[in-house]
Amino acid sequence: MTSTHTLETPGADIVYDVHGSGGRPLLMVGQPMAADGFGSLASHFPDRTVVTYDPRGIGRSVRKDGRVEHVPDVQAGDLHAVIQALGAGPVDVFGSSGGAVAALALVTAHPDDVGTLVAHEPPLTGMLPDAAAAERAGQLMRDAYRDGGFGAGMAAFMVLASWKGEFTDDYFALPPADPAQFGMPAEDDGRRDDPLLSDRSLAVTAYRPDVDALTAAPTRIVIGVGEESIEEMTGRAALATAAALGRQAIVFPSHHGGFLGGEHGYAGKPEAFAAKLREVLAG
């Protein structure tokens, strides 16, 4: 059974879902993905209470603070409020992409909230050895979105996300990505508020984890990386983050969204991914 709850905070009304019951709650956190991206993964944990949520300003969580940017420290405060509302801390957390960054910020600010954190491919481009080039590549993607809209921006993102290794002159010599090549619309819908393609999520990729606070926390922190994306930007960022924390990344099946089933048209291997996540959570 699933129940939906709305947590009213001064800055936003945070909507979260509680699925099933049993054991230590497992909180699944995405960004810019909302709760609806975790349906397949959650279904593989019928023996546990699984909690999913929509980050403020995304999906059902409506902002009231008049702001539009996605800031990990702010999201950490929202996650802390959800955990307090559950009344069942410490919880385990699986964070994906920007959600992994928010979860690292949560452990930094509220280390007693989390027993085990599995942070899967946090896109911390500042941790990369080619950080300046990665930021340049990200800016080109945002420029494509600004100039051409969703299709152009998403095509540029797919080229960026699938590039293997460091961003070299060969990358910057590529022609502009063609939306039709990726099945994206060529027409411009006029919107520029996409949380992935706009500058609203710059605070996520620019976030610098507090290594001292994280290593001192009682939380067991595991950095995950996809077996298929280990050479791509988010995979390389995961490896660099794990190294900064003095540990090795744990390899998960599939790619950056390896836990996805039919959600968002980017299917991975959710059954194998869930089995690996269960193994890692068990320690």
Side-chain angles (χ1 to χ4, degrees):
M1 294 183 63
T2 299
S3 58
T4 299
H5 309 262
T6 300
L7 179 62
E8 296 185 7
T9 75
D13 293 337
I14 306 299
V15 178
Y16 65 96
D17 306 303
V18 180
H19 312 264
S21 62
R24 172 182 283 178
L26 172 57
L27 176 58
M28 298 182 177
V29 185
Q31 202 285 319
M33 190 179 71
D36 58 1
F38 290 109
S40 294
L41 183 60
S43 71
H44 290 286
F45 290 88
D47 56 327
R48 294 191 63 162
T49 301
V50 175
V51 182
T52 56
Y53 100 123
D54 292 355
R56 65 169 59 200
I58 296 176
R60 302 162 295 172
S61 293
V62 179
R63 298 188 79 143
K64 302 181 290 189
D65 57 4
R67 306 187 72 89
V68 296
E69 74 276 22
H70 305 288
V71 179
D73 289 332
V74 174
Q75 293 176 341
D78 294 338
L79 291 169
H80 174 64
V82 169
I83 292 168
Q84 285 191 312
L86 291 172
V91 302
D92 290 337
V93 177
F94 170 72
S96 166
S97 195
V101 179
L104 289 169
L106 169 65
V107 172
T108 300
H110 305 283
D112 293 328
D113 278 1
V114 184
T116 296
L117 164 61
V118 180
H120 187 258
E121 296 203 358
L124 298 172
T125 56
M127 306 294 286
L128 295 171
D130 56 327
E135 172 50 33
R136 179 185 172 196
Q139 186 59 55
L140 289 175
M141 177 202 73
R142 293 187 291 274
D143 290 346
Y145 177 58
R146 180 199 63 205
D147 296 340
F150 178 79
M154 197 64 192
F157 168 76
M158 294 179 75
V159 172
L160 171 100
S162 61
W163 183 261
K164 295 187 183 299
E166 296 193 0
F167 293 100
T168 62
D169 290 342
D170 288 341
Y171 178 84
F172 296 108
L174 293 173
D178 179 5
Q181 181 183 351
F182 299 97
M184 298 294 166
E187 64 274 9
D188 184 352
D189 62 7
R191 297 185 63 176
R192 296 297 185 271
D193 58 354
D194 188 275
L196 175 66
L197 305 175
S198 69
D199 60 3
R200 297 185 176 192
S201 294
L202 272 177
V204 175
T205 55
Y207 181 80
R208 297 292 293 193
D210 187 333
V211 171
D212 290 340
L214 291 171
T215 54
T219 305
R220 174 174 165 258
I221 299 174
V222 177
I223 306 297
V225 62
E227 63 182 353
E228 298 172 19
S229 49
I230 197 167
E231 296 181 68
E232 297 169 359
M233 183 179 68
T234 54
R236 294 193 300 117
L239 296 177
T241 302
L245 295 174
R247 60 204 70 189
Q248 290 188 330
I250 300 299
V251 178
F252 278 74
S254 196
H255 47 58
H256 184 66
F259 55 89
L260 293 168
E263 304 94 341
H264 303 291
Y266 184 46
K269 301 175 181 177
E271 184 175 359
F273 193 102
K276 184 65 176 182
L277 178 57
R278 185 180 292 276
E279 174 190 318
V280 171
L281 288 172

